[in-house]
């Protein structure tokens, strides 16, 4: 589905607003692990179902899907015991819900004027799928929701100090064993310190990179 | 009142602000199974022991959940098995269109007369 272009700061603002409303309504302080199931089910009152989505939709590799008209998010039963993957998928669907539902709903109203409403999910999210803009936006939303910048920075600073971790070769050799090992160690430390128990190491690695807390060393300026 | 067991469980669970996985953990069943029960897709309704745990967690009436699940409580089953007059009494009540509630009232009246 074609969606409106969103800048990362727009996605950041959408996450911040959702978290602010959730914390305000429930009178709680923001802390990790961010209770994404509570946000979906209790705050937004979206129905959550665990299903064999491959069987239900007849498509392989489906992780989650959102049915806006029926108010349902369904997660594939195969990932329910993989905490990081399950919570990221659920947060990704939350991303569709917050970022894309208004547009889909508006289009649906237009479509139903000319024909019956579709029973098909608005978004089907698969592992093998090339990242369409809507999927990229939902991923960005999920990362920011599960790992709010402030909480990640606090956990990082508590254990790694005020300076970013610089890894030689980080820009071009991310999959090399030496780079990956160091990157993974930092992610593990931040997960443990910040109690990000519903986040995978991989997701935290990318978040640390996005926040420039792990990066390539900046070459010193040549003074002429 | 909800029509099905699944609708009833889901309605009460959300009213009590329990998450799907949260409740599944409390009842010691898989979230997939609970989800299937809630959507009435599970061919085998929960066993009595599971329904008791669900009733306890949700503060629900076990008899109503058993009824919605199409199950007869094991103690009632024993009562009927142990006393051959019991099935006749139930059949007679059914033939006279006496409801469970009316039976309860009759028993209460009988108790009061003693």
């Amino acid at each position: 589905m074609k969606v409106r272009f969103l800048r990362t700061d727009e996605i950041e603002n959408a996450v911040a607003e959702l978290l602010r409303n959730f914390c305000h309504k429930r009178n709680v302080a923001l802390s990790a692990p961010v209770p994404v199931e509570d946000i979906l089910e209790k705050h937004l009152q979206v129905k959550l179902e665990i299903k064999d989505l491959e069987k239900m939709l007849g498509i392989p590799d489906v992780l989650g899907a959102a049915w806006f008209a029926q108010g349902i998010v369904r997660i594939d039963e195969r990932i329910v015991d993989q905490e990081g993957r399950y919570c990221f998928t659920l947060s990704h669907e939350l991303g569709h819900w917050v970022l894309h539902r208004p547009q889909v709903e508006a289009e649906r109203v237009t479509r139903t004027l000319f024909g019956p409403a579709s029973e098909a999910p608005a978004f089907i999210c698969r592992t093998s799928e090339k990242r369409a803009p809507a999927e990229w936006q939902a991923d960005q939303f999920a990362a920011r929701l599960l790992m709010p910048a402030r909480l990640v920075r606090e956990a990082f600073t508590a254990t790694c100090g005020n300076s970013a971790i610089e890894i030689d070769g980080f820009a071009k050799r991310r999959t090399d064993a030496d780079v990956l090992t160091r990157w993974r160690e930092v992610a593990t430390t931040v997960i443990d310190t910040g109690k990000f128990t519903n986040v995978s190491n991989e997701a935290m690695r990318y978040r640390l990179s996005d926040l420039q807390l792990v990066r390539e060393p900046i070459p010193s300026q040549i003074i002429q | 009142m909800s029509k099905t067991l699944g609708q009833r469980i889901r309605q009460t669970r959300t009213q009590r602000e329990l998450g799907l996985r949260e409740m599944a953990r409390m009842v010691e069943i898989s979230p997939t199974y609970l989800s299937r029960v809630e959507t009435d897709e599970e061919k085998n309704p929960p066993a009595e022991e599971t329904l008791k745990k669900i009733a306890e967690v949700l503060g629900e009436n076990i008899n109503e959940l058993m009824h919605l699940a199409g199950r007869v409580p094991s103690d009632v089953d024993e009562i009927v098995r142990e006393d051959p007059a019991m099935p006749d009494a139930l059949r007679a009540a059914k033939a006279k269109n006496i409801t469970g509630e009316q039976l309860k009232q009759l028993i209460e009246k009988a108790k009061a007369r003693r």
Side-chain angles (χ1 to χ4, degrees):
Chain A
M1 162 156 195
K2 201 173 179 183
V3 294
R4 184 174 76 83
F5 171 78
L6 291 173
R7 297 189 312 271
T8 50
D9 65 302
E10 289 179 283
I11 298 171
E12 185 83 47
N13 288 342
V15 171
E17 190 185 349
L18 177 65
L19 286 173
R20 198 168 44 243
N21 288 341
F22 172 76
C23 291
H24 176 73
K25 197 171 172 185
R26 308 191 81 81
N27 198 23
V28 293
L30 177 61
S31 63
V34 175
V36 288
E37 283 175 305
D38 287 357
I39 293 173
L40 184 87
E41 281 196 284
K42 300 175 190 176
H43 181 59
L44 297 179
Q45 300 189 332
V46 176
K47 282 183 190 172
L48 172 63
E49 294 178 7
I50 313 289
K51 289 270 178 272
D52 182 346
L53 289 180
E54 207 170 297
K55 192 174 168 188
M56 185 181 181
L57 298 169
I59 308 168
D61 317 321
V62 184
L63 297 173
W67 281 256
F68 293 151
Q70 292 89 341
I72 302 172
V73 159
R74 294 186 173 109
I75 307 292
D76 187 63
E77 63 184 27
R78 290 164 192 81
I79 61 168
V80 75
D81 294 325
Q82 301 168 47
E83 189 67 14
R85 207 169 186 206
Y86 170 83
C87 288
F88 196 90
T89 302
L90 194 141
S91 304
H92 174 103
E93 299 307 326
L94 255 170
H96 285 309
W97 206 270
V98 173
L99 302 175
H100 306 132
R101 190 170 58 103
Q103 184 184 333
V104 171
E105 290 292 285
E107 287 178 12
R108 191 170 64 89
V109 169
T110 312
R111 278 199 309 274
T112 50
L113 290 175
F114 303 99
S118 170
E119 290 288 313
F123 289 97
I124 299 173
C125 309
R126 304 170 62 192
T127 48
S128 57
E129 205 166 50
K130 195 183 166 197
R131 280 320 200 202
E135 299 306 310
W136 180 85
Q137 290 173 5
D139 273 353
Q140 293 294 315
F141 185 97
R144 284 162 172 76
L145 182 67
L146 283 165
M147 298 164 280
R150 179 174 65 80
L151 298 184
V152 174
R153 285 184 200 283
E154 280 174 7
F156 180 89
T157 307
T159 47
C160 305
N162 288 317
S163 305
I165 301 282
E166 296 185 334
I167 305 173
D168 278 323
F170 188 71
K172 291 181 180 172
R173 300 188 292 110
R174 284 189 179 193
T175 51
D176 284 10
D178 57 331
V179 174
L180 194 55
T181 303
R182 182 72 185 114
W183 192 14
R184 201 174 270 150
E185 282 170 4
V186 180
T188 302
T189 305
V190 174
I191 286 172
D192 292 346
T193 309
K195 297 185 173 64
F196 292 97
T197 52
N198 59 356
V199 168
S200 71
N201 189 282
E202 186 184 9
M204 182 57 82
R205 288 204 303 273
Y206 284 108
R207 189 69 176 128
L208 290 171
S209 173
D210 282 347
L211 292 169
Q212 290 283 301
L213 293 171
V214 175
R215 66 182 186 208
E216 179 76 23
I218 297 171
S220 39
Q221 280 187 316
I222 300 165
I223 303 167
Q224 291 183 338
Chain B
M1 187 188 286
S2 298
K3 287 177 185 170
T4 69
L5 176 70
Q7 287 166 350
R8 175 73 169 266
I9 290 173
R10 191 178 183 284
Q11 187 185 53
T12 315
R13 175 175 71 77
T14 50
Q15 278 170 355
R16 302 214 175 254
E17 294 239 304
L18 286 171
L20 181 70
R21 289 199 309 170
E22 185 182 5
M23 179 170 151
R25 268 193 295 271
M26 292 167 88
V27 180
E28 295 173 312
I29 55 177
S30 79
T32 308
Y33 180 70
L34 178 57
S35 187
R36 288 181 63 81
V37 169
E38 284 192 349
T39 49
D40 296 305
E41 288 169 52
E42 182 54 49
K43 285 174 189 163
N44 301 311
E48 184 170 357
E49 280 310 303
T50 305
L51 281 171
K52 276 182 185 169
K53 283 183 189 171
I54 291 173
E56 196 181 318
V57 165
L58 296 179
E60 273 281 13
N61 183 313
I62 179 63
N63 288 334
E64 286 179 21
L65 293 189
M66 289 288 284
H67 170 70
L68 290 170
R71 291 194 182 277
V72 177
S74 52
D75 61 332
V76 173
D77 188 58
E78 272 172 38
I79 291 165
V80 173
R81 283 172 198 273
E82 281 170 8
D83 186 346
M86 203 57 81
D88 282 340
L90 292 173
R91 280 189 203 105
K94 173 86 175 169
K96 297 282 180 190
N97 291 325
I98 298 172
T99 64
E101 197 51 45
Q102 286 170 325
L103 268 179
K104 265 192 204 171
Q105 286 171 5
L106 281 172
I107 292 164
E108 288 303 317
K109 278 180 190 169
K111 276 183 191 168
R113 278 184 190 168
R114 277 179 199 166

